[in-house]
Amino acid sequence: MTASGGSLAGIHILLARTGDGGSEFVDGLEDEGASVTLIRLQRVEPPVDLSPVTEAASRLSEFDWLVVTSANAVRALVAAAQYGKNLSLEPPRNIAAVGPATNRALSAAGMKATLVPIRNDADNLVEAMREFAPGSVFLPQADIADDTAERGLSEAGFRVTRVTAYRTVVDEAECARAAELIHAANVDLVVLASPSAVRTLVEDLGSSDQIPLAVCIGPRTAQACRQAGLHVGAVADAPTPESVAQAA
């Protein structure tokens, strides 16, 4: 329910993201009085070839580290264990999560992060792991993920096994809903949760001209917005509902 008062009272926000989750951000923004429409521009689907991720999941305990850079990766890893008919994951002793949302997904899956960087992005995750002796790393990611974590960890001496744990597929119906809201000028702010959400929204609209002021979750999303020609009004310091509400 939308609060009647708050710092965002009367503001209509479109929250664009990829995959599951996002309800906690909606709650945080609505607590500040905003009217929020959550649109998942891309849905998460299993990889075309399941064997790499299911094989790695079956021997997860053999790695020194599990490194996860998104909550979607955690959920995909749990699903991969089920694909492989191994219903219990045995994680390694060391688990690194890129941020609090990923850590919450780990907790929901019965795993606990031993490392969460203060600043929640792949660059800072790599920097935090440089404090540890290099070892073997399992890195499940999306098919469209960049190589920041893999490259940085490899350069730091870690032996990285990166696999595609899930695919991101454009949801045409949700994209059409976002376009309808923007074309009708029913949105005051767009909160963008990932670079892929930025690209999908701009590609769907054909240009960035009609997209209103953007609030970005993280510096990489902000960079993608600027490269696409969007006007960035604010960048959330952390991928948390409280930080996004404060930035908006």
Side-chain angles (χ1 to χ4, degrees), residues 140-163:
Q141 291 192 300
D143 57 336
I144 60 173
D146 64 30
D147 67 349
T148 300
E150 179 184 19
R151 185 182 69 252
L153 290 171
S154 296
E155 291 174 350
F158 290 88
R159 302 181 303 280
V160 182
T161 298
R162 173 182 173 175
V163 301

Side-chain angles (χ1 to χ4, degrees), residues 7-32:
S7 61
L8 299 175
I11 302 297
H12 297 268
I13 295 176
L14 189 156
L15 173 58
R17 58 180 294 119
T18 295
D20 297 329
S23 59
E24 69 276 17
F25 289 94
V26 173
D27 292 342
L29 293 167
E30 288 186 341
D31 285 345
E32 291 299 322

Side-chain angles (χ1 to χ4, degrees), residues 181-206:
L181 287 170
I182 291 172
H183 288 320
N186 287 335
V187 176
D188 300 306
L189 287 175
V190 174
V191 175
L192 292 152
S194 68
S196 63
V198 175
R199 292 189 293 268
T200 301
L201 184 60
V202 173
E203 288 172 6
D204 182 62
L205 291 172

Side-chain angles (χ1 to χ4, degrees), residues 3-243:
S4 58
S7 61
L8 299 175
I11 302 297
H12 297 268
I13 295 176
L14 189 156
L15 173 58
R17 58 180 294 119
T18 295
D20 297 329
S23 59
E24 69 276 17
F25 289 94
V26 173
D27 292 342
L29 293 167
E30 288 186 341
D31 285 345
E32 291 299 322
S35 174
V36 185
T37 301
L38 172 61
I39 292 187
R40 297 182 175 95
L41 299 173
Q42 296 170 308
R43 62 182 182 271
V44 170
E45 294 189 355
V48 175
D49 183 2
L50 293 171
S51 56
V53 66
T54 55
E55 189 276 331
S58 70
R59 58 183 184 87
L60 190 56
S61 62
E62 298 176 14
F63 292 92
D64 296 312
W65 284 88
L66 167 63
V67 175
V68 280
T69 56
S70 72
N72 284 328
V74 177
R75 290 187 281 264
L77 184 59
V78 172
Q82 296 173 342
Y83 302 145
K85 304 187 186 308
N86 174 22
L87 299 181
S88 62
L89 287 169
E90 296 183 18
R93 182 173 58 185
N94 300 306
I95 303 177
V98 74
T102 304
N103 195 18
R104 287 193 295 270
L106 283 167
S107 296
M111 295 180 277
K112 182 178 180 180
T114 53
L115 174 65
V116 182
I118 295 175
R119 293 192 64 84
N120 312 135
D121 58 40
D123 290 316
N124 283 284
L125 179 61
V126 170
E127 284 304 310
M129 287 191 63
R130 289 181 184 275
E131 301 297 320
F132 298 87
S136 58
V137 169
F138 176 50
L139 179 64
Q141 291 192 300
D143 57 336
I144 60 173
D146 64 30
D147 67 349
T148 300
E150 179 184 19
R151 185 182 69 252
L153 290 171
S154 296
E155 291 174 350
F158 290 88
R159 302 181 303 280
V160 182
T161 298
R162 173 182 173 175
V163 301
T164 296
Y166 64 96
R167 294 180 297 134
T168 55
V169 180
V170 174
D171 190 316
E172 300 292 350
E174 287 288 271
C175 285
R177 193 159 68 98
E180 182 179 0
L181 287 170
I182 291 172
H183 288 320
N186 287 335
V187 176
D188 300 306
L189 287 175
V190 174
V191 175
L192 292 152
S194 68
S196 63
V198 175
R199 292 189 293 268
T200 301
L201 184 60
V202 173
E203 288 172 6
D204 182 62
L205 291 172
S207 77
S208 62
D209 296 343
Q210 298 183 66
I211 299 176
L213 191 67
V215 173
C216 303
I217 300 179
R220 290 188 175 276
T221 305
Q223 181 182 24
C225 280
R226 294 186 180 105
Q227 289 174 342
L230 275 67
H231 178 52
V232 177
V235 181
D237 291 333
T240 63
E242 297 78 14
S243 183

